[in-house]
Amino acid sequence: MPGDGRGTAARPASRLRAWAELLRVSALVTVPGDALAGAAATGERPTRGTGLAMGASLCLYAAGMALNDWADQNEDATCRPHRPIPSGRIRPGTALAASAGLTAAGLALARRAGREAARTAAVLAATAWAYDLGLKRTKAGPAVMTAARCLDLLLGAAATSRSGTRAALGPAAALGAHTFAVTMVSRHEALGGSRTAPLAALGTTAAVGIVTSRRRGLGRSRSRAPEGLTRAGFAAGFAAWCAAGFAATVAGPLIRAVLDPSPALTRRAVGGGIRAMVPLQAALAARDGSVGAAAAIITLAPAARRLSRRVSPT
């Protein structure tokens, strides 16, 4: 009825939902762990710079999501008309302006974390914009997306320690391998039909899980361990547990996509791969001896799962 206030109350909720979809809030939960895993690789405790790197990463990731939908608006009008821009809930110019503003905010936060962090963030932002504005439709697309995720982890290392980037190359490679596999699967989420991509992703999951479970810098563990366990032993066990959680999160959806490569199951496999970033980041942090950071990261897993039921991460 006119004047009952329900329409007015619904509009802000609808706008909030549209922005949540545009910025992929369920996938945003997977971002802070990049900086924490990068910081863990340096052997240092998280610092103010690490926090700034997390903020910068969140801004740059959200900027990439908004820019992605702006660039894909014509394609989405045909394949995914429910998306915020083709459905008319968010104007194209508004999405582009949001992307530019979030990019500027991310670069500003990184600048406050130091020169190396600022340089890494600038390369990350350029990579994300290049991907969204054309490279994702080329054969180089998966590699460019992989580079962006690796740079995000390296940003956390650069913001935490001046010499941290080199130490973080191994964890970045593990995260990058998983990112590449998930991106290859995502190329078929609109039409489905590929068994090869999810099958290859399963192999990558197994390899990354095995490598991540092995000891690396566990002697640097800074967290208290239960009585009867060494700190390194506790960190090793926690890393293995997180690595198992990573494999469990992604393997089931990938197997179903192999058996039935329909668009719906392919999208679920991609969503599972995105959520699996959280336990993977936790495993990498624990493997480098930072059980505290790993524990903080793994607490984000339930939120990622709940949010993905309300807002698609893809």
Side-chain angles (χ1 to χ4, degrees), residues 10-291:
R11 281 191 220 101
S14 177
R15 282 196 291 269
L16 184 62
R17 169 82 185 191
W19 280 102
E21 292 178 15
L22 183 77
L23 302 180
R24 314 293 202 282
V25 293
S26 58
L28 278 174
V29 180
T30 72
V31 175
D34 287 346
L36 288 173
T42 70
E44 303 290 337
R45 294 179 183 274
T47 64
R48 173 178 174 272
T50 311
L52 290 169
M54 283 193 280
S57 295
L58 286 166
C59 288
L60 294 176
Y61 191 94
M65 293 299 98
L67 184 64
N68 177 79
D69 276 23
W70 177 84
D72 285 355
Q73 57 184 290
N74 293 329
E75 179 182 334
D76 285 346
T78 301
C79 299
R80 291 183 284 190
H82 61 279
R83 294 294 303 156
I85 293 177
S87 66
R89 290 176 293 155
I90 293 179
R91 295 184 179 183
T94 303
L96 182 60
S99 180
L102 285 165
T103 298
L107 293 175
L109 287 170
R111 194 177 304 117
R112 295 184 63 186
R115 290 183 179 179
E116 186 62 30
R119 284 194 288 265
T120 305
V123 177
L124 171 57
T127 302
W129 277 69
Y131 176 83
D132 285 334
L133 294 180
L135 288 181
K136 68 179 173 182
R137 294 181 177 83
T138 70
K139 292 182 178 180
V144 177
M145 174 58 77
T146 297
R149 198 83 201 204
C150 291
L151 285 165
D152 202 37
L153 189 146
L154 294 176
L155 174 59
T160 303
S161 171
R162 290 184 178 180
S163 58
T165 305
R166 182 175 298 179
L169 290 176
L175 186 66
H178 175 64
T179 302
F180 185 86
V182 174
T183 305
M184 290 297 292
V185 176
S186 73
R187 299 199 124 190
H188 305 279
E189 63 179 326
L191 301 175
S194 174
R195 287 187 168 91
T196 303
L199 189 60
L202 276 171
T204 302
T205 297
V208 170
I210 291 170
V211 170
T212 306
S213 298
R214 293 178 178 174
R215 293 190 176 210
R216 183 171 182 257
L218 295 174
R220 297 177 301 185
S221 179
R222 297 174 292 274
S223 300
R224 291 184 178 179
E227 188 175 351
L229 288 176
T230 65
R231 291 185 177 182
F234 181 63
F238 196 67
W241 180 75
C242 292
F246 156 71
T249 301
V250 71
L254 283 174
I255 291 172
R256 286 189 284 274
V258 170
L259 297 175
D260 177 11
S262 64
L265 291 181
T266 301
R267 281 193 294 271
R268 289 182 187 177
V270 175
I274 293 173
R275 293 196 310 276
M277 297 282 185
V278 175
L280 176 56
Q281 294 156 346
L284 291 170
R287 177 175 174 250
D288 279 321
S290 186
V291 178

